[in-house]
Short mmCIF file of all heavy atoms in Angstrom, two decimals:
data_model
loop_
_atom_site.label_atom_id
_atom_site.label_comp_id
_atom_site.label_asym_id
_atom_site.label_seq_id
_atom_site.Cartn_x
_atom_site.Cartn_y
_atom_site.Cartn_z
N MET I 159 -16.68 118.89 -22.95
CA MET I 159 -17.39 117.69 -22.61
C MET I 159 -18.16 117.87 -21.29
O MET I 159 -17.72 118.54 -20.40
CB MET I 159 -16.44 116.53 -22.43
CG MET I 159 -15.73 116.11 -23.71
SD MET I 159 -14.75 114.67 -23.43
CE MET I 159 -15.74 113.50 -24.29
N LEU I 160 -19.30 117.25 -21.25
CA LEU I 160 -20.14 117.33 -20.10
C LEU I 160 -20.26 115.95 -19.50
O LEU I 160 -20.67 115.01 -20.20
CB LEU I 160 -21.51 117.89 -20.48
CG LEU I 160 -22.57 118.01 -19.43
CD1 LEU I 160 -22.12 119.05 -18.38
CD2 LEU I 160 -23.90 118.42 -19.99
N GLU I 161 -19.94 115.81 -18.25
CA GLU I 161 -20.03 114.48 -17.59
C GLU I 161 -21.31 114.41 -16.82
O GLU I 161 -21.66 115.37 -16.07
CB GLU I 161 -18.83 114.23 -16.69
CG GLU I 161 -18.82 112.84 -16.15
CD GLU I 161 -17.52 112.48 -15.49
OE1 GLU I 161 -16.48 112.74 -16.10
OE2 GLU I 161 -17.58 111.98 -14.38
N GLN I 162 -22.05 113.34 -17.00
CA GLN I 162 -23.32 113.14 -16.29
C GLN I 162 -23.35 111.80 -15.59
O GLN I 162 -22.53 110.93 -15.88
CB GLN I 162 -24.48 113.19 -17.33
CG GLN I 162 -24.67 114.47 -17.98
CD GLN I 162 -25.39 115.45 -17.12
OE1 GLN I 162 -26.34 115.11 -16.44
NE2 GLN I 162 -24.95 116.71 -17.14
N ILE I 163 -24.27 111.60 -14.72
CA ILE I 163 -24.51 110.32 -14.04
C ILE I 163 -25.96 109.95 -14.27
O ILE I 163 -26.85 110.72 -14.00
CB ILE I 163 -24.20 110.43 -12.53
CG1 ILE I 163 -22.74 110.82 -12.30
CG2 ILE I 163 -24.49 109.12 -11.84
CD1 ILE I 163 -22.39 111.08 -10.86
N ASP I 164 -26.16 108.74 -14.79
CA ASP I 164 -27.55 108.32 -15.10
C ASP I 164 -28.26 107.85 -13.82
O ASP I 164 -27.67 107.84 -12.73
CB ASP I 164 -27.58 107.28 -16.23
CG ASP I 164 -26.97 105.94 -15.85
OD1 ASP I 164 -26.66 105.75 -14.67
OD2 ASP I 164 -26.88 105.08 -16.73
N HIS I 165 -29.50 107.39 -13.99
CA HIS I 165 -30.30 107.00 -12.83
C HIS I 165 -29.74 105.77 -12.09
O HIS I 165 -30.07 105.50 -10.95
CB HIS I 165 -31.74 106.71 -13.29
CG HIS I 165 -31.88 105.53 -14.21
ND1 HIS I 165 -31.57 105.62 -15.51
CD2 HIS I 165 -32.27 104.27 -13.96
CE1 HIS I 165 -31.77 104.45 -16.08
NE2 HIS I 165 -32.19 103.62 -15.16
N ARG I 166 -28.85 105.00 -12.74
CA ARG I 166 -28.22 103.84 -12.10
C ARG I 166 -26.89 104.19 -11.44
O ARG I 166 -26.26 103.34 -10.89
CB ARG I 166 -27.98 102.76 -13.15
CG ARG I 166 -29.28 102.22 -13.80
CD ARG I 166 -28.96 101.41 -14.96
NE ARG I 166 -28.36 102.30 -15.97
CZ ARG I 166 -27.98 101.94 -17.20
NH1 ARG I 166 -28.10 100.70 -17.54
NH2 ARG I 166 -27.46 102.81 -17.99
N GLY I 167 -26.49 105.45 -11.58
CA GLY I 167 -25.20 105.89 -11.03
C GLY I 167 -24.04 105.68 -11.96
O GLY I 167 -22.90 105.89 -11.58
N LYS I 168 -24.30 105.32 -13.20
CA LYS I 168 -23.26 105.08 -14.16
C LYS I 168 -22.88 106.40 -14.85
O LYS I 168 -23.77 107.17 -15.23
CB LYS I 168 -23.75 104.10 -15.20
CG LYS I 168 -22.68 103.62 -16.15
CD LYS I 168 -23.17 102.50 -17.05
CE LYS I 168 -22.08 101.98 -17.93
NZ LYS I 168 -22.53 100.91 -18.76
N ARG I 169 -21.60 106.68 -14.99
CA ARG I 169 -21.15 107.93 -15.57
C ARG I 169 -21.13 107.82 -17.10
O ARG I 169 -20.84 106.78 -17.67
CB ARG I 169 -19.72 108.26 -15.09
CG ARG I 169 -19.68 108.55 -13.63
CD ARG I 169 -18.25 108.94 -13.25
NE ARG I 169 -18.17 109.25 -11.85
CZ ARG I 169 -18.42 110.43 -11.32
NH1 ARG I 169 -18.74 111.45 -12.10
NH2 ARG I 169 -18.33 110.64 -10.02
N PHE I 170 -21.46 108.95 -17.76
CA PHE I 170 -21.32 109.03 -19.20
C PHE I 170 -21.00 110.49 -19.54
O PHE I 170 -21.21 111.38 -18.73
CB PHE I 170 -22.62 108.57 -19.94
CG PHE I 170 -23.80 109.39 -19.67
CD1 PHE I 170 -24.20 110.40 -20.54
CD2 PHE I 170 -24.62 109.17 -18.56
CE1 PHE I 170 -25.31 111.17 -20.31
CE2 PHE I 170 -25.75 109.93 -18.31
CZ PHE I 170 -26.10 110.95 -19.23
N THR I 171 -20.45 110.69 -20.72
CA THR I 171 -20.06 112.02 -21.15
C THR I 171 -20.76 112.42 -22.43
O THR I 171 -21.06 111.58 -23.30
CB THR I 171 -18.53 112.13 -21.33
OG1 THR I 171 -18.14 111.16 -22.27
CG2 THR I 171 -17.78 111.90 -20.04
N ILE I 172 -21.01 113.68 -22.54
CA ILE I 172 -21.58 114.28 -23.77
C ILE I 172 -20.58 115.32 -24.26
O ILE I 172 -20.26 116.23 -23.49
CB ILE I 172 -22.95 114.89 -23.50
CG1 ILE I 172 -23.91 113.84 -22.92
CG2 ILE I 172 -23.52 115.54 -24.78
CD1 ILE I 172 -25.24 114.41 -22.53
N ASP I 173 -20.13 115.20 -25.50
CA ASP I 173 -19.20 116.21 -25.95
C ASP I 173 -19.93 117.40 -26.54
O ASP I 173 -21.16 117.44 -26.57
CB ASP I 173 -18.19 115.60 -26.99
CG ASP I 173 -18.83 115.17 -28.27
OD1 ASP I 173 -19.98 115.51 -28.49
OD2 ASP I 173 -18.17 114.49 -29.04
N ASP I 174 -19.17 118.37 -26.99
CA ASP I 174 -19.74 119.67 -27.44
C ASP I 174 -20.68 119.56 -28.62
O ASP I 174 -21.56 120.39 -28.79
CB ASP I 174 -18.64 120.65 -27.75
CG ASP I 174 -17.86 121.07 -26.50
OD1 ASP I 174 -18.41 120.94 -25.41
OD2 ASP I 174 -16.70 121.47 -26.64
N VAL I 175 -20.50 118.59 -29.47
CA VAL I 175 -21.33 118.45 -30.67
C VAL I 175 -22.62 117.65 -30.41
O VAL I 175 -23.38 117.37 -31.30
CB VAL I 175 -20.57 117.85 -31.88
CG1 VAL I 175 -19.47 118.79 -32.31
CG2 VAL I 175 -20.02 116.49 -31.51
N GLY I 176 -22.81 117.22 -29.15
CA GLY I 176 -24.04 116.55 -28.81
C GLY I 176 -23.99 115.05 -28.99
O GLY I 176 -25.01 114.40 -28.85
N THR I 177 -22.85 114.44 -29.26
CA THR I 177 -22.81 113.01 -29.36
C THR I 177 -22.61 112.41 -27.96
O THR I 177 -22.15 113.06 -27.04
CB THR I 177 -21.69 112.53 -30.31
OG1 THR I 177 -20.45 113.05 -29.76
CG2 THR I 177 -21.90 113.04 -31.69
N VAL I 178 -22.93 111.15 -27.82
CA VAL I 178 -22.86 110.48 -26.55
C VAL I 178 -21.89 109.33 -26.63
O VAL I 178 -21.79 108.71 -27.69
CB VAL I 178 -24.29 109.99 -26.16
CG1 VAL I 178 -24.25 109.26 -24.83
CG2 VAL I 178 -25.24 111.13 -26.11
N ASP I 179 -21.17 109.05 -25.55
CA ASP I 179 -20.22 107.93 -25.58
C ASP I 179 -20.93 106.59 -25.73
O ASP I 179 -22.14 106.50 -25.59
CB ASP I 179 -19.26 107.98 -24.40
CG ASP I 179 -20.00 107.73 -23.05
OD1 ASP I 179 -21.24 107.59 -23.09
OD2 ASP I 179 -19.31 107.70 -22.06
N GLU I 180 -20.18 105.53 -25.94
CA GLU I 180 -20.77 104.18 -26.18
C GLU I 180 -21.58 103.70 -24.98
O GLU I 180 -22.53 102.94 -25.17
CB GLU I 180 -19.67 103.20 -26.53
CG GLU I 180 -19.31 103.15 -27.97
CD GLU I 180 -20.51 102.83 -28.85
OE1 GLU I 180 -21.24 101.86 -28.60
OE2 GLU I 180 -20.70 103.59 -29.84
N ALA I 181 -21.21 104.06 -23.78
CA ALA I 181 -21.91 103.56 -22.62
C ALA I 181 -23.38 103.97 -22.60
O ALA I 181 -24.21 103.26 -22.07
CB ALA I 181 -21.23 104.10 -21.34
N ASN I 182 -23.69 105.08 -23.23
CA ASN I 182 -25.06 105.52 -23.25
C ASN I 182 -25.71 105.52 -24.65
O ASN I 182 -26.86 105.88 -24.81
CB ASN I 182 -25.15 106.97 -22.68
CG ASN I 182 -26.51 107.30 -22.18
OD1 ASN I 182 -27.26 106.46 -21.72
ND2 ASN I 182 -26.89 108.56 -22.34
N ALA I 183 -24.96 105.04 -25.64
CA ALA I 183 -25.46 105.03 -27.01
C ALA I 183 -26.70 104.11 -27.14
O ALA I 183 -27.63 104.42 -27.86
CB ALA I 183 -24.38 104.62 -27.99
N ASP I 184 -26.66 102.97 -26.42
CA ASP I 184 -27.81 102.03 -26.50
C ASP I 184 -29.06 102.72 -25.95
O ASP I 184 -30.14 102.58 -26.49
CB ASP I 184 -27.47 100.76 -25.72
CG ASP I 184 -28.54 99.69 -25.89
OD1 ASP I 184 -28.98 99.49 -27.01
OD2 ASP I 184 -28.95 99.13 -24.86
N GLY I 185 -28.93 103.45 -24.86
CA GLY I 185 -30.06 104.17 -24.32
C GLY I 185 -30.62 105.17 -25.27
O GLY I 185 -31.85 105.34 -25.39
N CYS I 186 -29.74 105.89 -26.01
CA CYS I 186 -30.19 106.83 -26.98
C CYS I 186 -30.98 106.18 -28.10
O CYS I 186 -31.98 106.69 -28.58
CB CYS I 186 -29.01 107.61 -27.57
SG CYS I 186 -28.28 108.75 -26.36
N ARG I 187 -30.51 105.00 -28.53
CA ARG I 187 -31.21 104.26 -29.58
C ARG I 187 -32.58 103.81 -29.11
O ARG I 187 -33.55 103.89 -29.86
CB ARG I 187 -30.38 103.04 -30.03
CG ARG I 187 -29.21 103.40 -30.92
CD ARG I 187 -28.57 102.17 -31.49
NE ARG I 187 -27.81 101.40 -30.49
CZ ARG I 187 -26.53 101.64 -30.16
NH1 ARG I 187 -25.90 102.62 -30.77
NH2 ARG I 187 -25.93 100.90 -29.28
N ARG I 188 -32.69 103.41 -27.83
CA ARG I 188 -34.01 103.01 -27.30
C ARG I 188 -34.93 104.21 -27.23
O ARG I 188 -36.13 104.11 -27.55
CB ARG I 188 -33.83 102.39 -25.92
CG ARG I 188 -33.42 100.92 -26.01
CD ARG I 188 -33.40 100.30 -24.63
NE ARG I 188 -32.01 100.47 -24.19
CZ ARG I 188 -31.63 100.59 -22.92
NH1 ARG I 188 -32.52 100.62 -21.99
NH2 ARG I 188 -30.38 100.75 -22.62
N VAL I 189 -34.39 105.37 -26.85
CA VAL I 189 -35.22 106.59 -26.77
C VAL I 189 -35.72 106.95 -28.16
O VAL I 189 -36.92 107.27 -28.33
CB VAL I 189 -34.42 107.73 -26.14
CG1 VAL I 189 -35.16 109.06 -26.35
CG2 VAL I 189 -34.20 107.50 -24.66
N ASP I 190 -34.88 106.89 -29.16
CA ASP I 190 -35.27 107.16 -30.51
C ASP I 190 -36.40 106.22 -30.98
O ASP I 190 -37.38 106.64 -31.58
CB ASP I 190 -34.11 107.10 -31.48
CG ASP I 190 -33.09 108.22 -31.29
OD1 ASP I 190 -33.52 109.24 -30.68
OD2 ASP I 190 -31.97 108.07 -31.74
N ALA I 191 -36.24 104.94 -30.69
CA ALA I 191 -37.23 103.95 -31.08
C ALA I 191 -38.55 104.22 -30.37
O ALA I 191 -39.63 104.11 -30.98
CB ALA I 191 -36.72 102.54 -30.76
N LEU I 192 -38.52 104.57 -29.11
CA LEU I 192 -39.75 104.88 -28.34
C LEU I 192 -40.41 106.12 -28.87
O LEU I 192 -41.65 106.17 -28.95
CB LEU I 192 -39.45 104.99 -26.86
CG LEU I 192 -39.11 103.70 -26.12
CD1 LEU I 192 -38.64 103.99 -24.74
CD2 LEU I 192 -40.32 102.79 -26.09
N GLU I 193 -39.65 107.11 -29.26
CA GLU I 193 -40.22 108.33 -29.83
C GLU I 193 -40.92 108.04 -31.14
O GLU I 193 -42.00 108.54 -31.44
CB GLU I 193 -39.15 109.38 -30.03
CG GLU I 193 -38.69 110.03 -28.73
CD GLU I 193 -37.57 111.00 -28.93
OE1 GLU I 193 -37.03 111.13 -30.03
OE2 GLU I 193 -37.21 111.67 -27.94
N ARG I 194 -40.29 107.19 -31.99
CA ARG I 194 -40.93 106.80 -33.26
C ARG I 194 -42.22 106.05 -33.01
O ARG I 194 -43.23 106.24 -33.68
CB ARG I 194 -39.97 105.99 -34.12
CG ARG I 194 -38.86 106.81 -34.76
CD ARG I 194 -38.10 106.03 -35.82
NE ARG I 194 -37.50 104.80 -35.29
CZ ARG I 194 -36.30 104.73 -34.70
NH1 ARG I 194 -35.56 105.82 -34.59
NH2 ARG I 194 -35.84 103.60 -34.26
N GLN I 195 -42.18 105.12 -32.05
CA GLN I 195 -43.39 104.33 -31.71
C GLN I 195 -44.50 105.24 -31.20
O GLN I 195 -45.66 105.10 -31.60
CB GLN I 195 -43.07 103.30 -30.65
CG GLN I 195 -44.25 102.46 -30.23
CD GLN I 195 -43.97 101.49 -29.14
OE1 GLN I 195 -42.79 101.31 -28.74
NE2 GLN I 195 -44.94 100.81 -28.62
N ALA I 196 -44.18 106.21 -30.34
CA ALA I 196 -45.18 107.14 -29.84
C ALA I 196 -45.79 107.95 -30.97
O ALA I 196 -47.01 108.18 -31.01
CB ALA I 196 -44.56 108.04 -28.79
N GLN I 197 -44.98 108.36 -31.93
CA GLN I 197 -45.49 109.12 -33.06
C GLN I 197 -46.42 108.31 -33.90
O GLN I 197 -47.47 108.76 -34.36
CB GLN I 197 -44.30 109.65 -33.91
CG GLN I 197 -44.71 110.60 -34.99
CD GLN I 197 -45.31 111.87 -34.43
OE1 GLN I 197 -44.91 112.38 -33.38
NE2 GLN I 197 -46.30 112.40 -35.14
N ARG I 198 -46.06 107.02 -34.12
CA ARG I 198 -46.97 106.12 -34.92
C ARG I 198 -48.27 105.95 -34.17
O ARG I 198 -49.33 105.96 -34.78
CB ARG I 198 -46.30 104.78 -35.10
CG ARG I 198 -45.20 104.73 -36.14
CD ARG I 198 -44.80 103.30 -36.51
NE ARG I 198 -44.38 102.53 -35.35
CZ ARG I 198 -43.16 102.40 -34.93
NH1 ARG I 198 -42.17 103.01 -35.53
NH2 ARG I 198 -42.85 101.66 -33.85
N GLU I 199 -48.22 105.77 -32.85
CA GLU I 199 -49.45 105.59 -32.07
C GLU I 199 -50.31 106.82 -32.11
O GLU I 199 -51.57 106.72 -32.18
CB GLU I 199 -49.12 105.13 -30.67
CG GLU I 199 -48.56 103.74 -30.58
CD GLU I 199 -48.12 103.36 -29.19
OE1 GLU I 199 -48.21 104.18 -28.26
OE2 GLU I 199 -47.67 102.21 -29.04
N LEU I 200 -49.74 108.00 -32.06
CA LEU I 200 -50.50 109.21 -32.17
C LEU I 200 -51.20 109.32 -33.53
O LEU I 200 -52.35 109.73 -33.63
CB LEU I 200 -49.63 110.45 -31.96
CG LEU I 200 -49.26 110.73 -30.50
CD1 LEU I 200 -48.25 111.86 -30.43
CD2 LEU I 200 -50.49 111.07 -29.68
N CYS I 201 -50.50 108.94 -34.59
CA CYS I 201 -51.12 108.95 -35.91
C CYS I 201 -52.26 107.97 -36.01
O CYS I 201 -53.32 108.30 -36.57
CB CYS I 201 -50.03 108.60 -36.98
SG CYS I 201 -48.85 109.92 -37.24
N GLU I 202 -52.10 106.81 -35.43
CA GLU I 202 -53.18 105.80 -35.44
C GLU I 202 -54.39 106.33 -34.66
O GLU I 202 -55.52 106.11 -35.08
CB GLU I 202 -52.70 104.46 -34.84
CG GLU I 202 -51.70 103.71 -35.69
CD GLU I 202 -51.26 102.44 -35.05
OE1 GLU I 202 -51.93 101.94 -34.14
OE2 GLU I 202 -50.18 101.97 -35.43
N LEU I 203 -54.15 106.99 -33.53
CA LEU I 203 -55.22 107.53 -32.75
C LEU I 203 -55.97 108.61 -33.49
O LEU I 203 -57.20 108.67 -33.51
CB LEU I 203 -54.66 108.11 -31.42
CG LEU I 203 -55.70 108.72 -30.48
CD1 LEU I 203 -56.73 107.68 -30.05
CD2 LEU I 203 -54.98 109.28 -29.26
N GLU I 204 -55.23 109.49 -34.20
CA GLU I 204 -55.87 110.51 -35.01
C GLU I 204 -56.72 109.91 -36.13
O GLU I 204 -57.83 110.38 -36.38
CB GLU I 204 -54.84 111.45 -35.58
CG GLU I 204 -54.18 112.36 -34.54
CD GLU I 204 -53.02 113.17 -35.11
OE1 GLU I 204 -52.80 113.14 -36.34
OE2 GLU I 204 -52.37 113.85 -34.34
N ARG I 205 -56.19 108.88 -36.77
CA ARG I 205 -56.96 108.19 -37.80
C ARG I 205 -58.25 107.56 -37.26
O ARG I 205 -59.32 107.64 -37.84
CB ARG I 205 -56.14 107.12 -38.49
CG ARG I 205 -55.18 107.67 -39.50
CD ARG I 205 -54.50 106.56 -40.29
NE ARG I 205 -53.15 106.90 -40.50
CZ ARG I 205 -52.07 106.24 -40.10
NH1 ARG I 205 -52.21 105.09 -39.47
NH2 ARG I 205 -50.88 106.69 -40.30
N ALA I 206 -58.12 106.93 -36.07
CA ALA I 206 -59.28 106.29 -35.46
C ALA I 206 -60.35 107.33 -35.09
O ALA I 206 -61.54 107.11 -35.29
CB ALA I 206 -58.86 105.52 -34.21
N ARG I 207 -59.89 108.50 -34.58
CA ARG I 207 -60.86 109.57 -34.29
C ARG I 207 -61.51 110.08 -35.54
O ARG I 207 -62.70 110.38 -35.54
CB ARG I 207 -60.13 110.70 -33.54
CG ARG I 207 -59.77 110.40 -32.13
CD ARG I 207 -59.11 111.58 -31.49
NE ARG I 207 -58.76 111.29 -30.10
CZ ARG I 207 -57.81 111.90 -29.43
NH1 ARG I 207 -57.13 112.86 -29.99
NH2 ARG I 207 -57.56 111.56 -28.18
N ALA I 208 -60.77 110.20 -36.62
CA ALA I 208 -61.35 110.68 -37.90
C ALA I 208 -62.40 109.68 -38.40
O ALA I 208 -63.44 110.09 -38.91
CB ALA I 208 -60.25 110.91 -38.92
N VAL I 209 -62.12 108.40 -38.26
CA VAL I 209 -63.05 107.36 -38.74
C VAL I 209 -64.28 107.33 -37.86
O VAL I 209 -65.42 107.20 -38.35
CB VAL I 209 -62.37 105.97 -38.78
CG1 VAL I 209 -63.37 104.87 -39.03
CG2 VAL I 209 -61.30 105.98 -39.88
N ALA I 210 -64.09 107.44 -36.55
CA ALA I 210 -65.20 107.35 -35.61
C ALA I 210 -66.14 108.55 -35.68
O ALA I 210 -67.34 108.44 -35.43
CB ALA I 210 -64.66 107.19 -34.22
N GLY I 211 -65.63 109.69 -36.06
CA GLY I 211 -66.43 110.92 -36.12
C GLY I 211 -66.71 111.48 -34.73
O GLY I 211 -66.18 110.95 -33.71
N PRO I 212 -67.51 112.48 -34.66
CA PRO I 212 -67.82 113.13 -33.36
C PRO I 212 -68.56 112.15 -32.44
O PRO I 212 -69.43 111.41 -32.88
CB PRO I 212 -68.67 114.31 -33.72
CG PRO I 212 -68.64 114.46 -35.15
CD PRO I 212 -68.12 113.18 -35.75
N ALA I 213 -68.26 112.14 -31.16
CA ALA I 213 -68.87 111.20 -30.24
C ALA I 213 -70.39 111.49 -30.04
O ALA I 213 -71.14 110.63 -29.73
CB ALA I 213 -68.19 111.32 -28.86
N GLY I 214 -70.80 112.76 -30.28
CA GLY I 214 -72.20 113.10 -30.09
C GLY I 214 -73.11 112.47 -31.10
O GLY I 214 -74.31 112.29 -30.88
N MET I 215 -72.60 112.00 -32.23
CA MET I 215 -73.38 111.39 -33.29
C MET I 215 -73.59 109.91 -33.04
O MET I 215 -74.45 109.30 -33.63
CB MET I 215 -72.78 111.61 -34.65
CG MET I 215 -72.73 113.07 -35.06
SD MET I 215 -72.00 113.26 -36.70
CE MET I 215 -73.14 112.40 -37.72
N ASN I 216 -72.82 109.29 -32.15
CA ASN I 216 -72.89 107.87 -31.96
C ASN I 216 -73.15 107.60 -30.45
O ASN I 216 -72.23 107.59 -29.63
CB ASN I 216 -71.58 107.18 -32.37
CG ASN I 216 -71.69 105.69 -32.42
OD1 ASN I 216 -72.69 105.11 -31.98
ND2 ASN I 216 -70.68 105.04 -32.94
N PRO I 217 -74.38 107.35 -30.04
CA PRO I 217 -74.70 107.17 -28.61
C PRO I 217 -74.04 105.92 -28.03
O PRO I 217 -73.85 105.85 -26.82
CB PRO I 217 -76.20 107.02 -28.59
CG PRO I 217 -76.61 106.77 -29.99
CD PRO I 217 -75.56 107.27 -30.88
N ASP I 218 -73.66 104.95 -28.82
CA ASP I 218 -73.01 103.77 -28.31
C ASP I 218 -71.64 104.06 -27.68
O ASP I 218 -71.18 103.43 -26.78
CB ASP I 218 -72.81 102.71 -29.36
CG ASP I 218 -74.15 102.18 -29.87
OD1 ASP I 218 -75.12 102.24 -29.12
OD2 ASP I 218 -74.20 101.66 -31.00
N VAL I 219 -70.95 105.09 -28.18
CA VAL I 219 -69.65 105.52 -27.66
C VAL I 219 -69.80 105.96 -26.18
O VAL I 219 -68.99 105.58 -25.34
CB VAL I 219 -69.04 106.63 -28.51
CG1 VAL I 219 -67.76 107.14 -27.87
CG2 VAL I 219 -68.75 106.13 -29.89
N GLU I 220 -70.84 106.70 -25.90
CA GLU I 220 -71.02 107.16 -24.54
C GLU I 220 -71.28 106.00 -23.59
O GLU I 220 -70.82 105.99 -22.46
CB GLU I 220 -72.21 108.16 -24.52
CG GLU I 220 -71.94 109.45 -25.21
CD GLU I 220 -73.14 110.33 -25.25
OE1 GLU I 220 -74.12 110.06 -24.55
OE2 GLU I 220 -73.08 111.32 -25.99
N VAL I 221 -72.00 104.99 -24.04
CA VAL I 221 -72.27 103.82 -23.21
C VAL I 221 -70.94 103.09 -22.88
O VAL I 221 -70.69 102.68 -21.77
CB VAL I 221 -73.24 102.83 -23.92
CG1 VAL I 221 -73.36 101.55 -23.14
CG2 VAL I 221 -74.59 103.51 -24.05
N LEU I 222 -70.08 102.95 -23.88
CA LEU I 222 -68.80 102.26 -23.65
C LEU I 222 -67.87 103.01 -22.73
O LEU I 222 -67.11 102.47 -22.00
CB LEU I 222 -68.11 102.01 -25.02
CG LEU I 222 -68.78 101.01 -25.93
CD1 LEU I 222 -68.04 101.00 -27.26
CD2 LEU I 222 -68.82 99.64 -25.31
N GLU I 223 -67.96 104.35 -22.74
CA GLU I 223 -67.09 105.17 -21.87
C GLU I 223 -67.51 105.13 -20.45
O GLU I 223 -66.75 105.42 -19.56
CB GLU I 223 -67.06 106.60 -22.41
CG GLU I 223 -66.32 106.75 -23.70
CD GLU I 223 -66.31 108.17 -24.24
OE1 GLU I 223 -67.02 108.99 -23.65
OE2 GLU I 223 -65.57 108.40 -25.19
N ARG I 224 -68.75 104.78 -20.16
CA ARG I 224 -69.19 104.73 -18.73
C ARG I 224 -68.66 103.53 -18.12
O ARG I 224 -68.20 103.02 -17.41
CB ARG I 224 -70.71 104.65 -18.69
CG ARG I 224 -71.35 105.91 -19.13
CD ARG I 224 -72.81 105.78 -19.01
NE ARG I 224 -73.45 106.88 -19.78
CZ ARG I 224 -74.69 106.91 -20.11
NH1 ARG I 224 -75.51 105.96 -19.73
NH2 ARG I 224 -75.18 107.90 -20.80
#
C-alpha cells in the first residue's frame, strides 16, 4: 500500500492493484468525468474544424481572430 497526502493535507492510500480508498474515490470519479468531458470537447472541436475547412479559404475567419 502507498500512503499519500492530497493538496488539502488529507491522507489516502493506494493499494498494490491500483484501487483507491473511499476517502479519495469521489475525486477519482470526478477526474474520470472530466477526462470524458475533455474527450467530447476535443471531438466537437475536430468536427467544427472539419466543417469550417481551411482558414485561408474564408477571409471572415481572419477578421474574427483579430
Side-chain angles (χ1 to χ4, degrees):
M159 292 185 108
L160 179 65
E161 187 169 311
Q162 295 282 319
I163 299 175
D164 68 7
H165 66 281
R166 298 168 294 182
K168 189 172 183 179
R169 293 183 180 275
F170 65 96
T171 57
I172 302 174
D173 67 12
D174 293 337
V175 294
T177 59
V178 179
D179 67 357
E180 274 303 309
N182 201 32
D184 187 45
C186 289
R187 284 189 288 273
R188 279 185 268 149
V189 167
D190 290 340
L192 288 172
E193 287 176 352
R194 285 191 303 272
Q195 178 183 354
Q197 188 63 35
R198 283 192 306 267
E199 289 175 359
L200 283 173
C201 288
E202 289 178 22
L203 180 60
E204 289 174 6
R205 281 189 218 120
R207 285 181 180 158
V209 169
M215 294 180 65
N216 190 352
D218 294 337
V219 173
E220 293 176 10
V221 172
L222 293 175
E223 290 178 351
R224 291 183 195 166

